[in-house]
């Protein structure tokens, strides 16, 4: 059965674009049915519109009293969805939403979690810390979302070696390439029902 996906993105949306494009290339039986964004002017929204993907702009300016994200949940429930993908989404997902989509929300983080995870570690901040600490390797992590920042069960993590004195912008480019690879791989595993849960840990069926 075709899997219906909702993507949440706030910015450039390169992970979002990559997933939409690879779904087509690989003929995956899945479709992004909705893009949720807090930012109506971001590239992710522009891309969605160009590709006839429905968009829903959701932020506290538009919905100042929706503390539990009930309106957002109601919107998502209009679609019978299988998976939510956070792709550079800068807002916290409510407990309400997480409860409703347990083990069905994925996030990508540009580090080898648990290193450089948690509040305050996002985007270039992560790569700057890797650089400042002279780390010899870094990477990206796809994990399921739980109620805290960047702590949910890890599905795929991949590392890369860094050369001496590689600058944060270069680190970011390399990690983003890795993100595109492992995020699509994760979506594919999910859509092909190749993830099984054991003791609250996701395992990959060969
Ligand atoms: C990525 O580095 C991702 O790991 C992080 O936000 C960034 C989003 O990039 N969560 P993009 O918008 O997908 O290009």
């Amino acid at each position: 059965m075709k899997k219906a996906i909702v993507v949440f993105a706030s910015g450039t949306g390169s992970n979002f674009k990559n997933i939409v494009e690879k779904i087509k290339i690989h003929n995956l039986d899945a479709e992004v049915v909705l893009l949720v964004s807090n930012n109506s002017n971001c590239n992710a929204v522009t891309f969605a519109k160009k590709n006839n993907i429905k968009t829903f702009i959701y932020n506290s300016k538009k919905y100042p009293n929706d503390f539990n994200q009930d309106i957002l949940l109601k919107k998502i429930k209009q679609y019978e969805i299988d998976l939510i993908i956070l792709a550079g989404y800068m807002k916290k997902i409510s407990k309400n939403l997480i409860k409703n989509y347990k083990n069905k929300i994925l996030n990508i983080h540009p580090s080898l979690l648990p290193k450089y995870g948690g509040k305050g570690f996002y985007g270039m901040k992560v790569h700057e810390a890797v650089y400042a600490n002279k780390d010899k390797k870094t990477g990206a992590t796809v994990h399921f979302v739980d109620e805290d920042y960047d702590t949910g069960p890890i599905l795929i993590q991949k590392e890369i070696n860094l050369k001496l004195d590689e600058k944060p912008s270069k680190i970011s480019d390399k990690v983003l390439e890795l993100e595109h690879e492992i995020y699509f791989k994760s979506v594919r595993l999910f859509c092909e029902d190749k993830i099984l849960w054991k003791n609250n840990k996701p395992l990959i069926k060969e």
Side-chain angles (χ1 to χ4, degrees), residues 38-62:
N38 56 308
N39 177 4
S40 57
N41 292 316
C42 70
N43 285 338
V45 170
T46 308
F47 178 83
K49 287 187 172 157
K50 265 195 196 140
N51 287 272
N52 295 321
I53 296 168
K54 293 207 170 73
T55 56
F56 180 57
I57 305 300
Y58 180 82
N59 54 42
S60 54
K61 209 170 158 195
K62 217 169 143 194

Side-chain angles (χ1 to χ4, degrees), residues 1-205:
M1 255 256 285
K2 192 176 206 152
K3 298 281 196 274
I5 302 170
V6 176
V7 177
F8 283 48
S10 303
T12 317
S14 74
N15 277 288
F16 164 48
K17 286 183 214 164
N18 176 66
I19 286 168
V20 170
E21 279 158 7
K22 286 203 179 135
I23 284 175
K24 281 190 207 145
I25 295 170
H26 294 271
N27 227 347
L28 193 67
D29 198 13
E31 187 186 356
V32 176
V33 294
L34 181 69
L35 172 78
V36 174
S37 183
N38 56 308
N39 177 4
S40 57
N41 292 316
C42 70
N43 285 338
V45 170
T46 308
F47 178 83
K49 287 187 172 157
K50 265 195 196 140
N51 287 272
N52 295 321
I53 296 168
K54 293 207 170 73
T55 56
F56 180 57
I57 305 300
Y58 180 82
N59 54 42
S60 54
K61 209 170 158 195
K62 217 169 143 194
Y63 303 107
N65 300 317
D66 189 31
F67 305 113
N68 289 326
Q69 301 181 353
D70 294 319
I71 295 172
L72 180 57
L73 181 63
K74 201 168 154 208
K75 180 77 189 177
I76 295 173
K77 289 243 156 141
Q78 288 174 6
Y79 301 81
E80 282 203 8
I81 65 148
D82 299 284
L83 176 64
I84 294 177
I85 295 173
L86 308 184
Y89 186 62
M90 301 306 287
K91 299 283 170 194
K92 206 163 185 208
I93 304 289
S94 72
K95 287 183 183 166
N96 189 19
L97 219 82
I98 293 168
K99 209 171 72 203
N100 272 270
Y101 294 99
K102 191 172 161 40
N103 298 344
K104 288 182 178 172
I105 309 178
L106 286 174
N107 183 41
I108 186 137
H109 190 79
S111 78
L112 295 171
L113 287 175
K115 259 193 136 178
Y116 308 119
K119 204 163 191 226
F121 273 128
Y122 56 87
M124 286 307 283
K125 300 223 186 276
V126 172
H127 308 306
E128 276 155 13
V130 167
Y131 179 70
N133 291 331
K134 300 186 170 51
D135 288 358
K136 293 196 173 64
K137 60 180 188 178
T138 187
T141 308
V142 176
H143 65 94
F144 285 91
V145 173
D146 66 10
E147 288 174 8
D148 278 306
Y149 280 109
D150 306 324
T151 55
I154 291 175
L155 178 63
I156 299 183
Q157 182 165 74
K158 196 167 172 184
E159 56 180 60
I160 42 166
N161 293 321
L162 295 173
K163 294 193 194 104
L164 201 66
D165 207 35
E166 239 168 342
K167 299 285 181 283
S169 63
K170 178 79 184 156
I171 300 174
S172 165
D173 290 347
K174 281 175 127 180
V175 171
L176 195 62
E177 207 181 311
L178 200 63
E179 288 184 39
H180 292 171
E181 179 197 324
I182 67 169
Y183 217 2
F184 178 68
K185 194 171 171 190
S186 305
V187 171
R188 186 178 205 165
L189 288 169
F190 188 96
C191 291
E192 293 179 343
D193 296 317
K194 287 189 175 150
I195 301 168
L196 60 95
W197 287 87
K198 212 172 173 189
N199 303 325
N200 278 326
K201 289 212 170 87
L203 301 175
I204 297 171
K205 280 194 239 169

